[in-house]
Amino acid sequence: MAINTVKTVAVFVSDQDRAREFYVGALGLEVKVDQTFGDNRWLEVGAPAGTTLVLHKPFPGTSAGGGQGTIVGTNDLDADIARLQAAGVIVEGPNEMPWGKQATFADPDGNGYVLQG
């Protein structure tokens, strides 16, 4: 195998415009691609470098909000928790874990994230 990176992770959302507002406005990610082709829209967001998230309508047999446990990192956990809370996001934590400090939150569809500092 010659896989050397995970490029994009699909996050199923019910409303791509609402998701864009959350991921860009509340989380501070940037839009990498927002392209419509036919009935499909490829909406990709991410930090300046690294893996991106494609905010996509659910594929047949799947539903929005099923993603759980994606871990995102920060250099200032407490400031990012305060920023999320100011944007109206419910944050649980921070909690001290054996591997460091972390908090959890979800997007408007219920996709759950772990924020580690």
Side-chain angles (χ1 to χ4, degrees):
M1 297 280 300
I3 296 172
N4 60 11
T5 188
V6 174
K7 183 177 183 219
T8 304
V9 174
V11 177
F12 295 130
V13 298
S14 60
D15 181 324
Q16 288 174 299
D17 290 325
R18 180 179 71 171
R20 178 183 169 138
E21 184 177 313
F22 176 80
Y23 284 85
V24 173
L27 298 187
L29 299 178
E30 56 188 50
V31 174
K32 302 291 187 169
V33 179
D34 191 349
Q35 186 174 27
T36 301
F37 48 98
D39 292 337
N40 293 305
R41 179 179 179 193
W42 187 266
L43 175 55
E44 192 174 331
V45 298
T51 303
T52 59
L53 304 173
V54 61
L55 308 175
H56 203 282
K57 293 185 290 184
F59 299 134
T62 65
S63 60
Q68 299 297 317
T70 299
I71 300 170
V72 293
T74 178
N75 293 326
D76 193 340
L77 183 69
D78 293 326
D80 283 341
I81 289 171
R83 177 182 174 177
L84 288 168
Q85 290 171 330
V89 178
I90 297 170
V91 179
E92 296 200 19
N95 298 305
E96 287 291 339
M97 306 302 280
W99 51 86
K101 201 171 170 183
Q102 70 181 36
T104 59
F105 66 93
D107 75 3
D109 283 301
N111 292 297
Y113 293 89
V114 177
L115 180 63
Q116 286 186 343

